[in-house]
Amino acid sequence: MSVVQRSRAPRVRGGASRHRARDLVTRPRTVVIAIGGNASYPPTIKGLAEEQLALMATAAEHLVTIIRSGYRIVLTHGNGPVVGNILFRMARTADELPPMPMDICVAHSQGGMGYMLQQTLANALHQHAMDTAVSSIITRVEVSADDPGFADPTKPVGRFFAKDEADRLAREHRWQFVEDSGRGYRRVVPSPNPIAVLDLPTIRALIDAGTIPIAAGGGGIPVVRDADGNYTGVSAVIDKDLTSALLAADLGAEALVMLTAVASALDPPAVPLEGGLGARRFASSAPSLRRGPNAISPESTPS
C-alpha cells in the first residue's frame, strides 16, 4: 500500500525566475518514503530477523525502481511493533536487568531497523550495479514538555494480545491498552507531536552528497529542550507519519509516500477514496501538507 502527496512547482515570472523554474524541473526530485512499522514487522510473522530482512529485501527492489526513475529518496520507518517488544522484554526481565528509558528503547529500534534497511537496500543497489551509498542516522526530534499527548497515551506499540492477557499485563505493569483495528489489544504510550527534526542538517548533507539517508526511525527519539538549550530524552513514541510529514516539508520534498500494512487508505472521517488499492489520495493529518492533486503508484516516473 502506498499513499502519495504530490506538490506542484511554484509559478515564476521574469528571465532569472524562468531559469530558477527550469532548475526546479531538471534537478533530482526528492521523495520521502515512510515505511510503516507493521509493514516491516507484520503480526503474521514470528518476529525473526530473517523474516524482517526478507520483507525489507522485497521493499528494496521497489525502492530501486523509484531511484532509477530519477528520484532522490529519504527513508523513514515506524517502530511500533519493535519498540513495544523491547519494552515487553524489559518488563519480563526487570528483576534481573535494569529497564532502559523509553527514549533509549526508541534509539535501539532506530539502530536495529535502520541497519536492516540499510543492508537490504545497499545489497539491492549493488545487485543492480548502482553505486549509491545508504546511511542510517540516529535522529532526535524535539517535542514540547507541555504536549497534551503525555497525559493521554494513544500510540499503540508492541504485539497484539487477547483481552484477558492485556488485562493481566495492565494490572501487573500499570500499562494502558486499546483494541487496535479488530486485531487484538496493544499497549499505548504517550505520543507528543514533533516540533523539529534536530538532525536535519545531517540529513540534508547526506542528500547533497548523493547518499540515501534512513532517518527519523520510529518518529525520532523524543527530546525536550530546557531553558539552557540542552536536550533530554522523554518517555514517549512519536508518530512516524507526523515526523515524516514534517521532514518532507522541511526538505521541500516532491512527495510523501507511506507504505502500510493495511489494504486501503481512508480519508477522515473513514470515507474510502477513489482509486486502486495501490494508490489513493490522502488528506494528511499534518497541517503543513495539503491534499495533493494527484495520487501516484510506486511505478510512476517523473514527467
Side-chain angles (χ1 to χ4, degrees):
M1 167 63 199
S2 64
V3 182
V4 176
Q5 197 280 341
R6 168 176 265 183
S7 59
R8 295 183 185 272
R11 292 182 179 180
V12 291
R13 297 178 180 177
S17 297
R18 280 197 295 271
H19 289 297
R20 287 196 296 270
R22 185 170 62 247
D23 290 341
L24 286 171
V25 174
T26 58
R27 73 185 184 189
R29 294 190 281 183
T30 301
V31 176
V32 174
I33 302 176
I35 302 175
N38 284 304
S40 58
Y41 195 111
T44 53
I45 68 174
K46 294 179 180 179
L48 300 175
E50 293 79 4
E51 294 173 304
Q52 297 174 69
L53 287 167
L55 288 167
M56 293 178 183
T58 300
E61 286 297 321
H62 295 289
L63 295 176
V64 168
T65 300
I66 297 173
I67 297 165
R68 297 184 78 168
S69 297
Y71 287 105
R72 302 187 303 185
I73 69 170
V74 178
L75 296 181
T76 67
H77 62 84
N79 72 342
V82 173
V83 75
N85 287 347
I86 294 172
L87 294 167
F88 180 68
R89 190 180 302 121
M90 287 195 307
R92 296 290 293 269
T93 60
D95 292 337
E96 299 180 22
L97 297 171
M100 296 180 296
M102 197 178 298
D103 58 308
I104 304 296
C105 294
V106 174
H108 276 223
S109 69
Q110 277 193 8
M113 296 186 71
Y115 155 70
M116 288 190 285
L117 281 169
Q118 180 176 338
Q119 182 101 307
T120 52
L121 181 54
N123 286 342
L125 290 165
H126 173 72
Q127 290 162 10
H128 289 272
M130 298 175 68
D131 186 20
T132 304
V134 186
S135 182
S136 302
I137 306 168
I138 299 300
T139 313
R140 300 161 301 144
V141 172
E142 183 180 354
V143 300
S144 171
D146 299 325
D147 192 292
F150 285 109
D152 182 23
T154 57
K155 173 67 177 175
V157 297
R159 53 183 287 197
F160 292 86
F161 296 95
K163 189 176 188 309
D164 57 347
E165 191 172 7
D167 289 340
R168 178 181 60 81
L169 290 169
R171 290 192 303 270
E172 291 178 358
H173 301 290
R174 297 182 180 179
W175 291 348
Q176 292 179 251
F177 286 83
V178 296
E179 193 277 330
D180 187 358
S181 308
R183 295 176 288 180
Y185 289 78
R186 297 177 74 191
R187 182 185 175 186
V188 288
V189 299
S191 186
N193 287 330
I195 296 175
V197 179
L198 298 183
D199 298 287
L200 181 64
T202 303
I203 298 169
R204 282 189 172 132
L206 287 173
I207 296 171
D208 291 341
T211 297
I212 298 171
I214 301 172
I221 303 166
V223 297
V224 296
R225 184 180 181 182
D226 64 21
D228 296 324
N230 298 314
Y231 290 96
T232 303
V234 290
S235 292
V237 176
I238 305 170
D239 188 290
K240 74 98 178 39
D241 292 338
L242 294 181
T243 301
S244 298
L246 177 62
L247 179 60
D250 286 344
L251 294 174
E254 165 84 5
L256 170 61
V257 181
M258 297 180 182
L259 307 181
T260 77
V262 300
S264 62
L266 297 179
D267 188 11
V271 177
L273 296 172
E274 70 275 12
L277 289 179
R280 301 223 170 188
R281 290 182 185 168
F282 178 71
S284 174
S285 58
S288 59
L289 292 181
R290 298 189 299 267
R291 175 198 293 269
N294 300 305
I296 62 174
S297 69
E299 290 76 22
S300 298
T301 57
S303 56

